[in-house]
Amino acid sequence: MDSRTVALIRTTFKAVAAEEGGPEKLARSFYAILFTEYPHVRDFFPAALDAQRDRLVKAIGYTIDKLEEPDRVLPFLAQLGRDHRKYGVTAEHYVAVGKSLQAALCAYAGTEMWTDEVDRAWTEAIGVIADTMMAAADQEDTPPYWTGTVIEHREVLRNLCVVRLRLDQPMQYAAGQYVSVQIPARPRMWRYLSPAVPANANREVEFHIRAVSGGWVSPAMIGHTRIGDQWLVGSPLGGLGVPRNTRRKMLMIGCGTGIAPLRAQLMAMTQRRSNPKVHLFVGGHHPCDLYDLQALSDLAVANKWLTVIPVTENDENPWWYYESENKTPELPGLEPRRTGQIGRVVAAAGPWKDHDVQIVGSPSMVQTTKFRLMAAGTPTKNIRHDPLF
């Protein structure tokens, strides 16, 4: 696509999104058109569409933002195409989605903005997106999804658990990637989780799961999972990882269960002959949120290239925490715990200008930390994180 086509697409999307409630209205309109014009498609979606609507708009926004970066957007779309095989989608479904999205955008943009040229620009963009996703799906020879049997369910905190699955067949994901997961209690409600261990010959995958307040899926994962349950796991997604033979020093920043993909990468790195220096900042609201310090301590003791710095926003645990001890355990290999907002703490501990940076956590944490690092002089091109949706 040329620069004018990209500009037209961005202008119309931003105009729709800038209206009060614009993104939500656009998503509602899209699904209303899709289910009215193509009622057979409704069976592919969960009964409750709140999370689905939000994810749709964010995915469109991310794709549009990266249209002039084919080396980033095309692999992203290809991964989505491989992942969407789990739904059983075909070419006709891509056509239905494309036409419905275009109709919804046209309705909200209005006749003055939605010119013939704008219509052609969106037709081209949707065509590129659909063709990229379908081509990647057609070329893939891995399963559309894996079945995993729950072999461990361990409660770590009242709102956090560790779940280990044994897959029915090997999955070759890269440490740092994430996958979509569906549980029996919530059919057609897929949620993204990051494996906390590298791919292994035992076909075991470990997930760290925190309940989202008001969420549909994560509370069920914590409260209703039983040994022997069968989960479905989609194709690997994401581009985090540490290349082999790199000499670039690393800065890793993870909050809460965001430590999972970083820990998986560190575990994979221990199998290499040499590694760059790595600083890992692991954060949480309270000391008890630093639930994986023992594993990180073991990694740091055994690997002198790794430095682990715990960070919490508060020095005391919440009232519901069942242990009275508020202090972070004094484990070997760990730096003393620091108190403060993690982005501020990390930026002040720099400079990190010559480091490759990975940030994992909630969207607000990722954005805040990224902005603080950029303000402190870290080049934007050195900072990586997964799409924030």
Side-chain angles (χ1 to χ4, degrees):
M1 287 179 285
D2 59 32
S3 58
R4 178 165 178 80
T5 299
V6 172
L8 289 170
I9 292 168
R10 285 179 176 162
T11 299
T12 50
F13 184 75
K14 288 181 179 179
V16 172
E19 294 183 12
E20 184 176 354
E24 182 179 355
K25 291 178 181 177
L26 173 63
R28 288 183 180 276
S29 177
F30 161 73
Y31 283 113
I33 294 170
L34 178 65
F35 298 154
T36 300
E37 297 296 325
Y38 309 92
H40 61 285
V41 176
R42 184 64 180 88
D43 290 340
F44 290 95
F45 296 87
L49 289 171
D50 294 1
Q52 191 75 26
R53 282 192 289 264
D54 183 57
R55 192 176 297 126
L56 168 74
V57 175
K58 289 181 177 178
I60 295 172
Y62 177 83
T63 302
I64 291 172
D65 187 53
K66 305 298 181 186
L67 283 176
E68 291 177 304
E69 302 177 53
D71 58 327
R72 296 183 67 179
V73 73
L74 293 181
F76 168 72
L77 293 172
Q79 285 187 346
L80 282 185
R82 290 189 287 270
D83 182 56
H84 274 59
R85 294 176 302 140
K86 70 193 180 201
Y87 299 114
V89 297
T90 63
E92 68 171 307
H93 299 124
Y94 282 101
V95 171
V97 168
K99 289 184 175 180
S100 300
L101 176 59
Q102 209 159 337
L105 285 162
C106 177
Y108 274 93
T111 54
E112 290 188 10
M113 178 175 290
W114 197 268
T115 63
D116 290 343
E117 187 179 15
V118 169
D119 190 72
R120 288 193 296 271
W122 274 99
T123 298
E124 181 179 351
I126 290 172
V128 170
I129 293 171
D131 289 346
T132 303
M133 292 178 67
M134 286 189 291
D138 291 342
Q139 294 170 8
E140 189 62 36
D141 58 3
T142 61
Y145 56 83
W146 286 252
T147 299
T149 301
V150 176
I151 59 174
E152 180 184 5
H153 177 258
R154 174 165 51 90
E155 184 178 298
V156 179
L157 297 172
R158 188 181 68 171
N159 62 346
L160 192 152
C161 72
V162 171
V163 174
R164 186 176 288 264
L165 309 177
R166 179 170 289 117
L167 301 177
D168 59 338
Q169 51 190 307
M171 174 189 285
Q172 297 305 317
Y173 61 87
Q177 288 190 300
Y178 58 97
V179 295
S180 55
V181 175
Q182 178 183 279
I183 63 174
R186 297 292 185 268
R188 293 181 293 178
M189 289 187 174
W190 294 83
R191 288 297 179 269
Y192 293 129
L193 298 175
S194 296
V197 295
N200 57 81
N202 294 328
R203 309 192 313 277
E204 293 185 5
V205 181
E206 179 179 302
F207 296 119
H208 298 178
I209 305 164
R210 185 184 292 276
V212 176
S213 179
W216 283 81
V217 179
S218 56
M221 289 178 166
I222 291 175
H224 301 292
T225 295
R226 300 292 181 267
I227 303 299
D229 284 355
Q230 302 281 301
W231 289 17
L232 301 184
V233 182
S235 296
L237 302 166
L240 294 184
V242 180
R244 287 184 175 274
N245 303 318
T246 182
R247 295 185 178 180
R248 294 274 298 175
K249 291 180 285 187
M250 289 291 306
L251 169 63
M252 293 181 168
I253 310 161
C255 267
T257 55
I259 192 60
L262 302 180
R263 190 185 81 159
Q265 292 179 68
L266 295 172
M267 292 175 68
M269 292 170 69
T270 63
Q271 303 303 309
R272 303 176 184 177
R273 290 185 178 181
S274 63
N275 285 297
K277 291 286 186 181
V278 178
H279 280 79
L280 169 65
F281 285 80
V282 52
H285 292 294
H286 308 281
C288 64
D289 291 323
L290 305 179
Y291 65 93
D292 207 35
L293 287 185
Q294 182 63 63
L296 299 178
S297 168
D298 294 342
L299 285 170
V301 168
N303 301 279
K304 300 306 180 185
W305 43 264
L306 175 61
T307 301
V308 179
I309 307 97
V311 181
T312 59
E313 295 184 12
N314 304 282
D315 286 327
E316 297 185 354
N317 282 318
W319 63 268
W320 51 260
Y321 187 58
Y322 54 82
E323 293 182 7
S324 60
E325 181 62 60
N326 285 317
K327 294 181 180 180
T328 303
E330 294 184 3
L331 298 172
L334 303 183
E335 295 285 305
R337 179 172 60 84
R338 305 182 188 184
T339 305
Q341 196 276 332
I342 192 166
R344 190 187 301 274
V345 171
V346 174
W352 308 105
K353 297 179 182 179
D354 59 344
H355 287 62
D356 284 336
V357 183
Q358 292 187 28
I359 312 174
V360 186
S362 68
S364 60
M365 171 267 175
V366 171
Q367 290 285 35
T368 300
T369 303
K370 180 178 179 179
F371 290 151
R372 289 197 180 278
L373 288 172
M374 290 165 56
T378 303
T380 307
K381 63 182 179 64
N382 291 358
I383 302 174
R384 290 190 295 153
H385 57 81
D386 285 319
L388 302 177
F389 56 84

